[in-house]
Amino acid sequence: MRLIIFGAPGSGKGTQAEFICKEFGIPKVSTGDMLRLIIAEGGELGAKISDILKKGELVSDDMIIRMVEKRLQDNDCKKGFLFDGFPRTLLQAKGILNSAVDIDAIIELEVADEIILERLSGRRVHIPSGRAYHVVYNPPKTSGIDDITGESLVHREDDKEETIRNRLRIYRDTIDAIRQVFTDTSKIKYLKIKADGDLYEIANTISAHLKEVVHLD
Ligand code: AMP
């Protein structure tokens, strides 16, 4: 199963991605997580990427495409994967569409901007895994601690309001064109999911749709 999940930052994309990967036994390929790991390792490249992320800008297509190509060669991607945060530009979208990688389905989460701002201010993330929590809506068992590893959670630099607004603007500016690229081809099932309600209900809706996709194959 080769999937893509689209959603504005704070649309619940990371959380839904976790559910999908667990249910279908596929790895999450998140370009944002990969970049944060490079930053955590330190060094010159990490510092450069950190600057870009802090401003809410995008890392170059060239670097992203090279990173993704390398990741797809790993063994765990042979049975399928879920792209999270990729593709994010028209060039990346066309790149994947014209590559040998056949995408089965795309899930697009729809959430209004005001809801996103409220959600992100309370978001806490476990950096090594990308697991996301919310202090009110999806709290960890112990405040500030990841349920699985017991490691600390962080409030990401790029979850600050000014950065969020910039990231939302960039997302809205590009998603229409990217959607067009994928809906022009009938081979890929495109699922638009209203995602401002209960996160378990949303997960069930996505799961039901994806099972249909598998069944149809
Ligand atoms: P995310 O965790 O997906 O919200 O990504 C965090 C940040 O990493 C984004 O705001 C971008 O600065 C950068 N980033 C992640 N994925 C991509 C991508 N596919 N293309 C360009 N920049 C990206």
Side-chain angles (χ1 to χ4, degrees):
M1 213 179 200
R2 287 173 296 267
L3 307 171
I4 299 175
I5 188 162
F6 286 135
S11 61
K13 181 168 57 78
T15 305
Q16 295 301 334
E18 290 291 334
F19 287 145
I20 295 166
C21 290
K22 209 167 160 201
E23 176 161 12
F24 294 95
I26 51 176
K28 179 176 83 159
V29 175
S30 158
T31 43
D33 286 352
M34 291 186 215
L35 294 170
R36 281 183 288 278
L37 276 181
I38 299 174
I39 293 171
E41 281 164 10
E44 207 178 308
L45 181 62
K48 262 192 204 161
I49 294 173
S50 174
D51 276 348
I52 296 173
L53 263 68
K54 272 186 202 151
K55 289 187 216 145
E57 289 169 2
L58 294 179
V59 172
S60 77
D61 287 328
D62 212 42
M63 173 166 185
I64 294 288
I65 288 169
R66 262 187 290 129
M67 244 173 39
V68 170
E69 277 175 351
K70 188 161 172 275
R71 177 70 182 90
L72 291 189
Q73 284 165 13
D74 292 343
N75 256 334
D76 62 334
C77 291
K78 298 279 182 279
K79 60 190 167 188
F81 50 81
L82 172 71
F83 280 141
D84 172 5
F86 173 87
R88 223 184 189 100
T89 65
L90 202 51
L91 206 136
Q92 292 174 20
K94 286 182 176 165
I96 194 75
L97 198 65
N98 297 326
S99 74
V101 178
D102 283 330
I103 300 295
D104 298 299
I106 298 178
I107 302 128
E108 181 184 339
L109 303 178
E110 294 184 295
V111 185
D113 285 5
E114 313 83 72
I115 297 176
I116 284 174
L117 280 160
E118 189 202 346
R119 279 183 181 177
L120 286 188
S121 57
R123 178 157 86 166
R124 299 294 179 272
V125 184
H126 177 242
I127 297 288
S129 69
R131 259 187 298 284
Y133 300 84
H134 189 282
V135 288
V136 179
Y137 304 118
N138 178 31
K141 289 181 189 131
T142 307
S143 171
I145 301 292
D146 177 47
D147 287 351
I148 311 283
T149 62
E151 291 167 351
S152 296
L153 302 177
V154 300
H155 188 190
R156 273 167 39 182
E157 273 289 314
D158 55 347
D159 281 348
K160 286 182 182 160
E161 180 164 343
E162 198 192 318
T163 312
I164 296 167
R165 289 196 185 278
N166 194 28
R167 293 167 70 203
L168 279 175
R169 190 183 47 72
I170 293 173
Y171 177 75
R172 303 273 178 231
D173 280 353
T174 53
I175 187 64
D176 292 346
I178 292 177
R179 187 191 303 111
Q180 193 66 44
V181 166
F182 290 109
T183 46
D184 276 351
T185 161
S186 56
K187 273 194 339 194
I188 303 174
K189 181 92 180 156
Y190 201 99
L191 308 166
K192 262 195 170 194
I193 309 279
K194 204 166 170 291
D196 54 9
D198 178 81
L199 64 96
Y200 295 102
E201 273 175 32
I202 298 163
N204 285 338
T205 306
I206 294 172
S207 163
H209 281 297
L210 289 180
K211 280 178 186 153
E212 245 173 64
V213 173
V214 178
H215 185 68
L216 287 176
D217 275 355

